[in-house]
Amino acid sequence: MSVLTESAVGHDELAVLKLLALEGGLEGDVKISCSRLAERLDASNQTASRRLQRLESADLLERDTVSDGQWVAITDTGERALHAEYEDYRRIFETDSQISLEGTITSGMGEGRHYISLPGYQRQFEDRLGYEPFPGTLNVDLREDSVRRRSAMASLEPVPIDGWESDDRTYGPAVCYPATIETADGATYDDAYTIAPERTHHDDDQLEVIAPVKLRDELGLEDGDHVTVSVGDRE
């Protein structure tokens, strides 16, 4: 579900949020009057005031009214709304950019260990990724704003993993994207890939990552730890 739907604000309110961010509203309180905002928006004072009220009601903005105006600051929710808009424009104009996804480590269902080790996939991993992955995936439960941002991965160039057949069944294709993992403490691992099987029990809020090492041990990760996964061309 998008930020716009959740907060019941529209593009007019987001335009106000953008103006306030340009005034410094992400760094702290900024002072603004409805008349000045109305002039910037080419709208009436009442319209400017109403849009600020909607942003405050949606928890995208904090306000403190004083005699000669009001002090405003963009909340964390408001910043996420702006980030979501930013990612949409990046998807339109920047095809080679990295996409940052945030989430927490969670235990998987054990499927990764089995499928990663199958010979039909292993041969392709070694040929196309350049290594034999550790038999298992690192599972990341994405934050709500990152679930939305994940759709921007469609603009990136994937590493395809073809489907194949054994004597008794068919195995589906998958796509991989280069990824860098960063922990809350600043530790990073650069030689990872996200992997998205065509057939999976995971929803869009679950991200699977493979690497030639066990990432939990390499980065000292446990369930519930926060990580950032930067997907796309490595810098």
Side-chain angles (χ1 to χ4, degrees):
M1 181 179 294
S2 71
V3 174
L4 287 181
T5 302
E6 288 179 334
S7 57
V9 301
H11 294 289
D12 289 340
E13 285 74 27
L14 280 179
V16 173
L17 202 64
K18 182 181 74 173
L19 286 176
L20 295 174
L22 290 171
E23 293 284 339
L26 287 174
E27 286 75 38
D29 292 348
V30 294
K31 193 174 184 180
I32 194 166
S33 66
C34 282
S35 59
R36 181 184 169 201
L37 180 59
E39 184 179 347
R40 296 284 303 275
L41 297 173
D42 192 22
S44 67
N45 287 6
Q46 292 82 0
T47 296
S49 177
R50 187 163 54 249
R51 291 179 186 174
L52 288 173
Q53 290 171 6
R54 288 175 180 169
L55 288 168
E56 183 181 31
S57 296
D59 193 33
L60 303 183
L61 190 72
E62 293 179 346
R63 293 194 301 159
D64 183 17
T65 302
V66 293
S67 59
D68 57 346
Q70 48 198 307
W71 290 94
V72 299
I74 296 172
T75 64
D76 290 343
T77 304
E79 183 173 356
R80 289 196 294 271
L82 289 172
H83 269 295
E85 292 296 298
Y86 171 62
E87 290 298 338
D88 284 346
Y89 282 110
R90 284 185 65 179
R91 184 177 178 184
I92 294 171
F93 295 111
E94 300 178 21
T95 57
D96 295 325
S97 60
Q98 284 195 337
I99 299 163
S100 292
L101 305 175
E102 297 182 51
T104 54
I105 300 301
T106 185
S107 294
M109 295 180 289
E111 289 185 327
R113 177 180 298 274
H114 170 67
Y115 286 102
I116 294 297
S117 302
L118 293 173
Y121 291 131
Q122 280 283 0
R123 288 190 294 268
Q124 295 184 70
F125 292 143
E126 293 176 15
D127 179 53
R128 300 177 187 183
L129 306 186
Y131 56 72
E132 178 180 318
F134 172 82
T137 60
L138 183 71
N139 295 274
V140 181
D141 188 7
L142 295 177
R143 288 188 351 182
E144 196 162 348
D145 54 326
S146 289
V147 174
R148 172 184 168 90
R149 197 175 303 135
R150 181 178 184 166
S151 64
M153 289 171 59
S155 67
L156 302 176
E157 188 68 29
V159 177
I161 304 297
D162 299 329
W164 55 284
E165 296 183 9
S166 66
D167 293 337
D168 56 353
R169 63 167 293 183
T170 299
Y171 294 91
V175 290
C176 296
Y177 295 94
T180 296
I181 316 298
E182 182 176 0
T183 70
D185 296 331
T188 61
Y189 187 87
D190 296 326
D191 202 17
Y193 281 85
T194 67
I195 183 167
E198 187 176 84
R199 291 194 288 263
T200 177
H201 295 298
H202 291 315
D203 297 323
D204 286 343
D205 61 353
Q206 293 288 312
L207 189 70
E208 294 183 272
V209 184
I210 59 175
V213 297
K214 186 176 182 180
L215 288 168
R216 280 179 177 263
D217 292 348
E218 183 74 13
L219 295 172
L221 294 170
E222 298 180 354
D223 282 1
D225 286 348
H226 178 272
V227 294
T228 300
V229 184
S230 299
V231 184
D233 291 343
R234 307 188 202 277
E235 297 179 352

